[in-house]
């Protein structure tokens, strides 16, 4: 086992990290990170609406939710273009690249325009349009990057700088929008429907038990090697956001939500103490016989209460620690399995509105994320106890090893 762990840490993980450190991955991850405040804004309104449901005199703030979380694809497509320009070396054209991507996205969602009336399904601006937002942003980046590699006006002395700048903004836009026009309006290809159809199997798989487990376990697995889980977000975020969007539509239609893989469930029910379910380990460390472990436990405790476990993962450390990596993997399989059973059986309410409250302590964030379902508190207690039992023998082995090292110092 030690040889296997060593191979994973010294050979496998570095190769994966290098493979994932690509410009396009950094672009999409950066755009998603920059879009978090939009999700947070929608989450705050969702929390407000939770209380407004019990207090009749509070005003309706649903429009704030609709025009924040409800249009996240609009902000996302701009951010993909903007971050792509920075990653690919033409950051001075970041704003124009983002705007070109936004214009292409408007064409991709194919609104009908008659008698100066703009008509399109509002859902295409939100979670259901996320894949198309990625597509529009990536296409814009690729074409813009190819254009800037030509350096058409770089050495031009006859053209003033402002005109060169304008041309560098206009020409990529013309190419992108003309090509999109040919595909959508001349060839009559519904790109939005085509993109949705191509990625719908992935989204559907993510809402099955095997897909649910993989979407949680894979980030946990690589996190145990110190690789940030953001590299998975271009895959997992569309699945989760499409799921919560479908749940919202079902709830509005009087139907029961069915999609379990959402950020509400992952970050506010399963990841107790942070990715890898590390709160139990942190509490154990506070009472360790090892002075070094106890010190790290004290340093990491307050962040862990708010589900921030980077100090613990990198400081304890869990990352690349053969003894502590294994229980992290086990937690990444067992805990989501128990949660899946609870949600799929109807024991706990499946969320139907985005609640980005995972920076609140457990079980408060769980209670809010499931729209005030008190049963989730019992579920979180069960998950915590199971997590504790998984961590305990490995923690004792780690403690024994550390004590021997301290006595040898």
């Amino acid at each position: 086992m030690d040889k296997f762990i060593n191979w994973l840490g010294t050979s496998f993980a570095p190769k994966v990290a290098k493979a994932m450190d690509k410009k396009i991955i950094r672009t999409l991850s950066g755009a998603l990170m920059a879009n978090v405040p939009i999700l947070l804004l929608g989450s705050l309104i969702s929390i407000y609406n939770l209380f407004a449901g019990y207090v009749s005199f509070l005003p309706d703030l649903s429009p704030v939710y609709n025009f924040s979380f409800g249009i996240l694809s609009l902000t996302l497509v701009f951010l993909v273009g903007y971050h792509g320009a920075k990653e690919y070396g033409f950051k001075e054209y970041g704003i124009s690249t983002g705007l070109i991507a936004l214009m292409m996205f408007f064409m991709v969602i194919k609104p009908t325009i008659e008698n100066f009336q703009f008509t399109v399904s509002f859902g295409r601006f939100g979670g259901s349009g996320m894949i198309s937002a990625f597509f529009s942003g990536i296409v814009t980046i690729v074409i813009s990057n190819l254009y800037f590699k030509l350096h058409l006006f770089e050495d031009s002395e006859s053209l003033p700088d402002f005109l060169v700048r304008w041309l560098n903004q206009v020409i990529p836009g013309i190419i992108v929008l003309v090509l999109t026009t040919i595909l959508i309006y001349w060839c009559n290809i519904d790109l939005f429907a085509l993109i949705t159809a191509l990625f719908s199997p992935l989204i559907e798989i993510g809402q099955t038990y095997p897909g649910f487990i993989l979407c949680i376990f894979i980030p946990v697995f690589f996190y145990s090697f110190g690789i940030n889980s953001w590299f998975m977000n271009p895959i997992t975020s569309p699945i989760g956001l499409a799921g919560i969007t479908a749940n919202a539509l079902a709830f509005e239609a009087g139907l029961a939500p069915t999609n379990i893989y959402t950020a509400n469930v992952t970050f506010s029910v399963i990841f107790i103490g942070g990715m890898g379910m590390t709160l139990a380990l942190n509490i154990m460390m506070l009472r360790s016989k090892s002075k070094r472990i106890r010190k790290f436990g004290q340093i990491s405790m307050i962040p862990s209460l708010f589900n921030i476990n980077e100090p613990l993962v990198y400081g304890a450390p869990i990352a690349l620690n053969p003894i502590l990596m294994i229980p992290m993997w086990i937690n990444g399989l067992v805990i989501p399995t128990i949660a899946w059973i609870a949600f799929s059986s109807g024991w706990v309410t499946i969320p139907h509105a985005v609640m980005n409250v995972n920076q609140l302590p457990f079980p408060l964030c769980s209670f809010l994320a499931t729209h005030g379902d008190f049963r989730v508190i019992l579920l979180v207690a069960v998950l915590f106890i199971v997590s504790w039992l998984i961590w305990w023998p490995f923690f004792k082995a780690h403690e024994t090893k550390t004590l021997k090292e301290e006595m040898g110092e």
Side-chain angles (χ1 to χ4, degrees):
M1 177 60 75
D2 286 343
K3 290 182 178 179
F4 176 67
I5 296 292
N6 183 60
W7 173 80
L8 288 174
T10 59
S11 180
F12 177 72
K15 289 179 181 177
V16 171
K18 184 178 179 180
M20 293 303 174
D21 189 27
K22 301 296 184 183
K23 291 179 181 179
I24 192 63
I25 298 296
R26 294 199 301 268
T27 293
L28 299 180
S29 296
L32 287 166
M33 179 73 81
N35 215 37
V36 166
I38 303 299
L39 298 178
L40 181 59
L41 176 56
S43 300
L44 293 174
I45 299 303
S46 294
I47 296 171
Y48 169 86
N49 287 338
L50 178 65
F51 292 105
Y54 297 98
V55 184
S56 58
F57 63 82
L58 290 175
D60 180 19
L61 295 182
S62 296
V64 179
Y65 179 87
N66 292 334
F67 292 99
S68 54
F69 176 75
I71 61 167
L72 69 90
S73 288
L74 289 180
T75 56
L76 182 63
V77 67
F78 172 82
L79 290 169
V80 170
Y82 179 77
H83 282 270
K86 293 199 297 182
E87 288 290 343
Y88 283 85
F90 45 96
K91 64 180 180 180
E92 64 269 29
Y93 296 102
I95 293 177
S96 62
T97 305
L99 291 174
I100 293 168
L102 181 61
M103 288 184 279
M104 178 182 173
F105 176 74
F106 269 106
M107 297 177 73
V108 168
I109 62 175
K110 203 174 183 179
T112 57
I113 304 173
E114 295 180 0
N115 300 321
F116 300 101
Q117 296 295 316
F118 181 96
T119 307
V120 68
S121 172
F122 188 73
R124 296 190 172 193
F125 293 136
S128 62
M130 194 171 177
I131 299 294
S132 293
F134 278 155
F135 174 78
S136 301
I138 291 170
V139 169
T140 302
I141 293 165
V142 170
I143 292 176
S144 297
N145 186 47
L146 291 173
Y147 166 78
F148 284 111
K149 282 184 176 180
L150 297 175
H151 305 289
L152 292 182
F153 306 104
E154 188 173 284
D155 299 322
S156 176
E157 298 180 357
S158 59
L159 297 175
D161 290 342
F162 76 89
L163 183 56
V164 170
R165 185 172 180 81
W166 287 355
L167 289 171
N168 285 338
Q169 292 172 329
V170 170
I171 294 176
I174 291 175
I175 297 171
V176 169
L177 298 181
V178 168
L179 288 176
T180 308
T181 297
I182 292 172
L183 290 173
I184 294 177
Y185 294 99
W186 294 8
C187 300
N188 199 30
I189 298 174
D190 189 337
L191 284 179
F192 184 88
L194 178 61
I195 294 166
T196 302
L198 288 174
F199 282 89
S200 60
L202 177 63
I203 293 173
E204 291 171 3
I205 289 171
Q207 297 300 344
T208 65
Y209 170 70
F212 177 78
I213 293 297
L214 287 174
C215 285
I216 293 173
F217 176 74
I218 291 175
V220 169
F221 177 78
F222 284 107
Y223 193 32
S224 70
F225 292 96
I227 300 174
N228 196 297
S229 63
W230 275 97
F231 81 91
M232 280 287 292
N233 280 10
I235 299 172
T236 57
S237 290
I239 295 173
L241 288 170
I244 200 72
T245 300
N247 287 349
L249 293 174
F251 182 79
E252 290 174 3
L255 303 174
T258 58
N259 296 303
I260 298 175
Y261 184 77
T262 62
N264 293 36
V265 172
T266 305
F267 294 102
S268 298
V269 177
I270 293 175
F271 288 158
I272 304 173
M275 182 173 292
M277 295 64 79
T278 56
L279 182 59
L281 174 65
N282 203 151
I283 294 174
M284 294 175 194
M285 292 171 67
L286 293 177
R287 300 180 62 83
S288 175
K289 298 175 183 177
S290 164
K291 182 178 179 182
R292 185 192 310 168
I293 293 176
R294 194 164 59 249
K295 190 66 176 179
F296 274 120
Q298 293 167 353
I299 294 171
S300 305
M301 193 64 232
I302 292 179
S304 287
L305 289 174
F306 295 92
N307 308 308
I308 300 169
N309 65 354
E310 281 81 0
L312 185 63
V313 171
Y314 298 114
I318 298 173
L320 298 175
N321 183 330
I323 297 176
L324 296 180
M325 291 168 70
I326 295 173
M328 195 173 191
W329 300 346
I330 297 173
N331 270 304
L333 294 170
V334 174
I335 300 302
T337 296
I338 297 172
W340 174 271
I341 294 171
F343 282 103
S344 61
S345 302
W347 296 344
V348 180
T349 300
I350 296 176
H352 58 262
V354 64
M355 291 279 190
N356 193 14
V357 292
N358 57 291
Q359 299 303 303
L360 296 176
F362 276 78
L364 176 59
C365 63
S366 311
F367 176 75
L368 294 173
T370 53
H371 316 297
D373 188 346
F374 283 98
R375 294 173 298 179
V376 79
I377 297 176
L378 178 59
L379 172 60
V380 168
V382 171
L383 296 180
F384 179 79
I385 292 170
V386 172
S387 176
W388 182 287
L389 295 174
I390 291 171
W391 280 111
W392 178 252
F394 295 93
F395 165 72
K396 296 305 291 183
H398 173 63
E399 182 183 51
T400 300
K401 179 176 178 290
T402 305
L403 284 170
K404 289 180 180 179
E405 292 173 354
E406 289 177 349
M407 287 188 293
E409 290 178 354

